[in-house]
Amino acid sequence: MKKVMERMQEPTPKFFKTIRNLGLVLTAVGSVIATAPVSLPAIVITIAGYIAVAGGIASAISQTAVYRDD
């Protein structure tokens, strides 16, 4: 079994690159909304936080996907 750092340095399949990029966009959007200098309802801030976390997790997990060696 490959170590995580070795997997993250290998080429990532196209599908997972797309997932990674969408995750990065979600993280950015959620972070911008959560830290907006204007007054927003608490539910919007809460949802933005969840979106940012979900985007970060999707990006991190999709980065470890590699082509099968079989």
Side-chain angles (χ1 to χ4, degrees):
M1 184 173 225
K2 295 180 182 182
K3 294 183 181 179
V4 174
M5 292 306 292
E6 290 173 358
R7 290 177 68 99
M8 292 181 77
Q9 293 172 355
E10 291 187 12
T12 303
K14 185 178 190 295
F15 173 75
F16 289 101
K17 285 183 184 179
T18 304
I19 297 291
R20 181 192 61 203
N21 292 339
L22 289 174
L24 290 173
V25 168
L26 284 175
T27 302
V29 169
S31 298
V32 166
I33 292 172
T35 60
V38 296
S39 176
L40 295 172
I43 189 71
V44 173
I45 302 296
T46 302
I47 291 172
Y50 289 137
I51 289 172
V53 170
I57 291 171
S59 296
I61 291 175
S62 65
Q63 182 62 38
T64 60
V66 294
Y67 293 105
R68 286 190 77 156
D69 293 330
D70 296 342

